[in-house]
Amino acid sequence: MTHDDVRSAGGGLARHPLVGRPGKVIALHLNYPSRIAQRGRAPAKPSYFLKPVTSLAASDQTVERPPGAELLAFEGEIALVIGKTARRVAREDGWAHVSAVTAANDLGVYDLRAADKGSNLRSKGGDGYTPLGPATLPAAELDPAALRVRTWVNGELVQDDSAGTVVFPFGELIADLSQLITLEPGDVVLTGTPAGSSVVGPGDVVEVEVDVPGTEHRTGRLRTTVVEGQTPLPEFSAQPAVDDHQRAEAWGSREAAGLPAPFELTDELVAKLQQVSVATLSSQLRKHGYNQLSIDGVRTNSPGQKMIGRARTLRFVPAREDLFRSHGGGYNAQKRAFDALGPGDVLVVEARGERGSGTVGDILALRAQVRGAAGIVTDGGVRDWTAVAELDIPTFSGGPHPAVLGRRHVPWDSDITVACGGATVQPGDVVVGDDDGVLVIPPALLDEVLDASIEQEAEEAWIAARVAEGAAVDGLYPLTGEWRKRYEAERSTD
């Protein structure tokens, strides 16, 4: 097979040697738990995007990285080829509409992701960005859960996962798509990539193979070589643009991208935060010019218990019957947020200060505790107040209320910037709570504010001791003049 067998004179696809010229190519966003863990977001239902049929390529061809781009990423995948028309088929019948399976590489340029705001047209739709092959496997002879996908870069194995782990089984994907879109013979469906996807550059060789371990069923290696494009994008086209978020997404992690590690709330920082009160932290934040970091109107149901952690967020919108029917049931945003909590996380809930409904109850609070979370903060109500108070995890809220979500709230989304008790909270912020209330501390401020707070508490402890001895507060609180000199002299000898 020559290059001209697949590419027309204009660079687009004429016919692919395995699938001809399909009517459409549909790709799935997330499916493998290993990849979902990397991305940090769990899909409740499958979501898709379209790739142009002109993006198809065969094995042993090249793919261009556009001039000026740095983040061309590979994604080894299992591709399904539709064998018979599928329209509103049942879940159990989906796999019967697949005629063949092959290897795919869902290539994409992260530098162009922002240009089309989620459609992936430019970033994943370029000529040659969907290689398939080199051979197909007969679907009728396969258990889809037994399929394996592996990827090599320059001979090194970088992806290795089983379709038996996927969140959305392949037959279910076909059935789901067929509810609204007629799938026709020759259409191609890409089924998601596992962890290990990363960035490649000119000269790199990517190989993908799909097989059934222990059998003769294997596609052989789909081989693609990356080359540097020679034709810059004209001024009227969207230009490559990247930031650290896109670099981390493309490489798979901040570490792999060579970026500084994200802020970590270390054991040493937690130990220091245990020494100081929310009141002291609040006064130091004010001295640093920050007056809007208190989550107002919430109180703890576990008096005497300190809460320290990193913010994760959940947002509720006002109740609306149609929206609650579409977003309130099943594995909704609220349940997904609690399931995603990890050790040291504090879930901060935006409930608009609406206390006329519960936003968390004993089951979900217990789930947060089992996941190792450090606390829950909501400016709404709490159901099962006594049961939640008996748990080990501290919960700060607007107070008890027996009603369920639908009375006032619809669970909407998570891990976004939210407003809680009049304060703006972003994922990763430091959240500290005690009997006086809850504060949000931007990570970049923490070291400076914390050291100053520890010093303030030491100073106030010394002042309290002098007051207990009978000293008047004039000049002592705050420390000035001779009292300041005496304090500093005693501190220097400690």
Side-chain angles (χ1 to χ4, degrees):
M1 181 182 65
T2 68
H3 185 277
D4 292 336
D5 291 327
V6 179
R7 294 286 156 195
S8 65
L13 176 125
R15 287 182 61 83
H16 192 282
L18 293 180
V19 297
R21 189 176 175 87
K24 47 192 169 291
V25 179
I26 301 174
L28 182 69
H29 279 110
L30 290 170
N31 203 4
Y32 288 82
S34 59
R35 177 72 161 181
I36 289 169
Q38 278 189 320
R39 285 293 193 244
R41 55 183 185 271
K45 301 292 181 183
S47 64
Y48 313 90
F49 59 94
L50 286 168
K51 300 194 76 172
V53 295
T54 48
S55 70
L56 292 179
S59 188
D60 295 312
Q61 291 192 294
T62 60
V63 64
E64 289 187 358
R65 186 183 71 178
E70 66 173 87
L71 301 177
L72 173 64
F74 64 87
E75 295 181 9
E77 303 200 14
I78 298 170
L80 312 179
V81 183
I82 301 301
K84 62 180 180 179
T85 301
R87 175 61 172 158
R88 292 179 178 161
V89 302
R91 179 188 297 180
E92 61 271 18
D93 297 329
W95 183 250
H97 290 74
V98 179
S99 64
V101 171
T102 192
N105 190 346
D106 182 16
L107 290 153
V109 182
Y110 280 70
D111 310 58
L112 297 176
R113 285 177 100 189
D116 298 304
K117 298 192 183 300
S119 76
N120 289 337
L121 181 61
R122 267 178 276 226
S123 62
K124 283 181 171 282
D127 288 353
Y129 278 47
T130 317
L132 300 177
T136 59
L137 307 178
E141 299 177 16
L142 304 172
D143 172 4
L147 291 166
R148 174 177 64 174
V149 60
R150 292 182 292 172
T151 305
W152 295 260
V153 175
N154 301 327
E156 179 184 354
L157 182 66
V158 293
Q159 288 184 296
D160 185 349
D161 214 331
S162 167
T165 70
V166 297
V167 175
F168 308 113
F170 295 164
E172 182 178 315
L173 294 178
I174 302 304
D176 179 44
L177 285 166
S178 77
Q179 301 309 307
L180 293 173
I181 302 169
T182 298
L183 300 178
E184 300 173 317
D187 286 348
V188 176
V189 178
L190 308 184
T191 57
T193 195
S197 164
S198 194
V199 173
V200 286
D204 287 334
V205 177
V206 184
E207 297 172 293
V208 184
E209 182 176 71
V210 173
D211 68 348
V212 178
T215 74
E216 296 299 315
H217 290 300
R218 63 183 62 248
T219 61
R221 294 194 186 186
L222 168 68
R223 180 183 172 95
T224 305
T225 301
V226 181
V227 298
E228 185 70 51
Q230 299 302 309
T231 306
L233 291 167
E235 183 180 350
F236 58 79
S237 291
Q239 300 298 306
V242 297
D243 55 25
D244 285 351
H245 174 72
Q246 295 299 341
R247 290 187 177 95
E249 291 252 307
W251 283 94
S253 68
R254 293 181 63 86
E255 181 181 12
L259 298 170
F263 169 77
E264 180 184 359
L265 191 56
T266 63
D267 291 344
E268 180 182 0
L269 288 172
V270 171
K272 286 185 176 181
L273 284 166
Q274 289 285 4
Q275 299 176 40
V276 297
S277 68
V278 163
T280 299
L281 288 166
S282 178
S283 65
Q284 285 299 325
L285 286 167
R286 183 175 177 82
K287 289 179 180 179
H288 285 76
Y290 287 82
N291 298 300
Q292 313 298 329
L293 297 176
S294 171
I295 297 180
D296 294 335
V298 300
R299 59 190 175 98
T300 182
N301 63 359
S302 302
Q305 189 172 3
K306 192 80 170 280
M307 177 185 68
I308 300 169
R310 303 176 310 271
R312 301 287 297 274
T313 62
L314 170 63
R315 177 179 172 233
F316 292 118
V317 298
R320 206 176 90 178
E321 287 77 4
D322 59 330
L323 296 181
F324 193 81
R325 285 193 293 270
S326 62
H327 289 75
Y331 194 47
N332 59 34
Q334 180 194 41
K335 294 175 183 176
R336 296 197 303 273
F338 276 87
D339 270 351
L341 293 174
D345 289 339
V346 172
L347 184 63
V348 181
V349 181
E350 176 182 333
R352 312 172 314 284
E354 173 53 70
R355 304 173 187 179
S357 178
T359 56
V360 60
D362 58 344
I363 298 298
L364 289 180
L366 177 60
R367 178 61 173 157
Q369 177 175 299
V370 169
R371 295 284 297 169
I376 302 166
V377 182
T378 173
D379 59 358
V382 169
R383 296 180 71 224
D384 313 308
W385 177 268
T386 301
V388 172
E390 290 174 350
L391 296 173
D392 294 332
I393 187 170
T395 298
F396 292 76
S397 73
H401 200 282
V404 295
L405 285 180
R407 183 171 187 264
R408 290 285 187 264
H409 305 294
V410 179
W412 201 251
D413 47 15
S414 60
D415 284 331
I416 58 169
T417 299
V418 300
C420 182
T424 299
V425 184
Q426 295 193 297
D429 283 343
V430 178
V431 183
V432 184
D434 63 17
D435 292 354
D436 280 342
V438 179
L439 286 176
V440 181
I441 306 175
L445 282 177
L446 184 61
D447 280 336
E448 186 174 359
V449 169
L450 188 50
D451 288 342
S453 296
I454 291 173
E455 174 59 32
Q456 178 181 330
E457 295 237 330
E459 184 175 305
E460 290 182 352
W462 188 88
I463 293 170
R466 304 293 80 76
V467 171
E469 293 168 353
V473 295
D474 184 29
L476 177 60
Y477 184 58
L479 282 175
T480 58
E482 292 301 317
W483 280 117
R484 166 64 65 183
K485 292 179 182 178
R486 177 178 167 183
Y487 170 73
E488 291 177 353
E490 291 186 17
R491 286 279 289 175
S492 65
T493 60
D494 287 346

